[in-house]
Amino acid sequence: SSGINAEWPLRPGGGPGAQGSAGPRGPAGAPGIGGLKGVQGPAGANLGIENCPGGAKGEPGKSGLPGKAAENIQLNPYIVAFHSQKNVAPKCLEGMTELWTGYSFMFVDVSKNVAGQSLSAPGSCWREFYVNNMMECRQTFCTNTKAEYSFWLSTAIEDSMTHDSYPQSTSYAEDPELVKRFISRCAVCVSDYKLMAVHSYTKDLPTTEAASLSQSGWEIAYSGYSFSFQTGAGRGFGSAFQGHGSCLKLFSPINIAQTNGQDVRWVSTNFKSYWIMDYSHLDGMNPYEAAYDEDWSVVTKQDRDAFIAKRLGKCYVMKKTKKAIALRGFYYADPDA
């Protein structure tokens, strides 16, 4: 017997059966070898304090501690002028700020009409030196006038000089530098403290008056000589005695330069300067007698030194101290400051 069941006859093979379910996960394989290094990427954005985007708004901080009391503020500063009586500009005092420098103008005389500037005020310091600096205007026309005379503070006489050392009548058009060499220079300054002149009316400095003022917040800025006013052709102009312009640092019998047209001159019998004298030598005089006349030569340095020592009035320019300003404050409220 061949083992073949006769009841199941032989037939051809069938098609593929259905796919079976996935078998269990096999064990992990061995690690692979490392890959190659990648190409470097582009640089990132450069963000600093200035261009970094702002973060979220923070919470309000705590209140700070109370600040210190504010210092006194000078709301209206003093504008003042100083005159060197030399052909170089003076320096402002400590704590001041210079605004401009120029030439020391005193007054103008036009057809016997006089107008001037106090030497304490900025209007006395012109940025340029001018001859023919005024025009006379009427209803229908304006014109220069030959009757115009302007007067400028001159450089003070030096120790080695006499009145003959100054130029004679000189044309500004022909030699402007020579003329300017004998014109005083000036500076205009901004100050946060007040200045005041104190005069002794004697040949001695007003030390007693200065000591008294120091008790109320004043101190000495500088000393000088008590100048009253200056005349040209019989008319003149001066400074108020409380103004620091009435206390000139230098005494000079040659004190002005006159311009008329292009002509400039320093020496004339018409030019007179007036200074406070020592009144003590008048003690015992009969007040009903004629005016007291006494000539003092001031031609040489020795003459001038003797006059200064024995007759010329002395003065101090005082300034408010920083402490006084801080404690009380001093503002430019009074017209005579």
Side-chain angles (χ1 to χ4, degrees):
S1 66
S2 61
I4 299 173
N5 190 342
E7 294 181 2
W8 299 89
L10 293 174
R11 295 182 181 184
Q19 183 175 350
S21 59
R25 182 181 181 89
I33 62 175
L36 298 175
K37 184 177 180 180
V39 178
Q40 183 175 355
N46 183 18
L47 298 178
I49 295 176
E50 295 81 6
N51 54 12
C52 185
K57 186 176 181 179
E59 295 294 326
K62 295 181 180 180
S63 299
L65 297 175
K68 295 181 179 180
E71 296 183 359
N72 176 65
I73 299 175
Q74 183 73 10
L75 298 178
N76 297 293
Y78 301 93
I79 312 296
V80 296
F82 296 102
H83 303 271
S84 66
Q85 300 173 268
K86 300 177 182 180
N87 55 18
V88 291
K91 300 294 184 182
C92 298
L93 298 182
E94 180 184 1
M96 295 185 179
T97 302
E98 181 184 289
L99 293 181
W100 72 80
T101 60
Y103 297 83
S104 303
F105 173 77
M106 297 189 76
F107 63 97
V108 63
D109 183 340
V110 182
S111 301
K112 299 183 179 180
N113 297 304
V114 174
Q117 295 289 323
S118 168
L119 293 178
S120 304
S124 65
C125 187
W126 289 27
R127 289 180 174 87
E128 298 293 339
F129 174 78
Y130 298 101
V131 294
N132 296 329
N133 51 45
M134 297 289 167
M135 293 285 286
E136 181 181 280
C137 295
R138 303 198 180 189
Q139 288 78 8
T140 58
F141 66 93
C142 295
T143 183
N144 291 108
T145 171
K146 292 183 179 180
E148 176 209 324
Y149 297 84
S150 65
F151 296 88
W152 304 74
L153 187 67
S154 69
T155 55
I157 194 167
E158 297 178 6
D159 290 347
S160 60
M161 296 171 61
T162 70
H163 63 283
D164 291 330
S165 303
Y166 287 82
Q168 299 302 312
S169 180
T170 303
S171 171
Y172 180 73
E174 295 177 2
D175 200 343
E177 294 307 314
L178 174 64
V179 171
K180 290 181 178 180
R181 195 184 310 162
F182 292 91
I183 303 298
S184 170
R185 302 304 200 272
C186 54
V188 172
C189 311
V190 178
S191 172
D192 61 358
Y193 53 81
K194 184 177 180 180
L195 298 174
M196 177 177 62
V198 179
H199 303 272
S200 68
Y201 301 90
T202 73
K203 60 184 177 59
D204 301 312
L205 286 166
T207 53
T208 302
E209 294 85 347
S212 177
L213 286 168
S214 69
Q215 303 300 314
S216 54
W218 294 86
E219 63 184 0
I220 296 171
Y222 58 86
S223 63
Y225 305 104
S226 301
F227 172 69
S228 178
F229 70 102
Q230 175 74 47
T231 67
R235 292 162 295 276
F237 200 84
S239 293
F241 284 146
Q242 75 269 25
H244 65 275
S246 67
C247 187
L248 294 181
K249 289 185 177 182
L250 301 173
F251 166 74
S252 180
I254 308 297
N255 208 45
I256 61 167
Q258 171 193 280
T259 73
N260 176 238
Q262 291 294 318
D263 177 74
V264 184
R265 63 179 60 194
W266 289 260
V267 180
S268 169
T269 56
N270 291 326
F271 303 164
K272 303 178 183 71
S273 59
Y274 292 82
W275 306 74
I276 296 177
M277 71 171 185
D278 181 341
Y279 67 85
S280 63
H281 74 282
L282 299 178
D283 291 347
M285 286 191 59
N286 185 341
Y288 299 102
E289 290 182 354
Y292 185 79
D293 291 326
E294 182 183 36
D295 291 336
W296 279 77
S297 174
V298 287
V299 174
T300 67
K301 177 184 183 302
Q302 184 178 3
D303 293 337
R304 293 190 292 271
D305 288 346
F307 175 73
I308 290 171
K310 297 180 180 180
R311 286 291 183 268
L312 188 59
K314 310 300 192 300
C315 52
Y316 280 132
V317 171
M318 311 288 291
K319 67 177 184 177
K320 273 293 180 181
T321 64
K322 293 180 180 179
K323 182 177 180 181
I325 295 172
L327 290 176
R328 299 182 59 186
F330 291 86
Y331 298 99
Y332 198 80
D334 51 317
D336 294 327

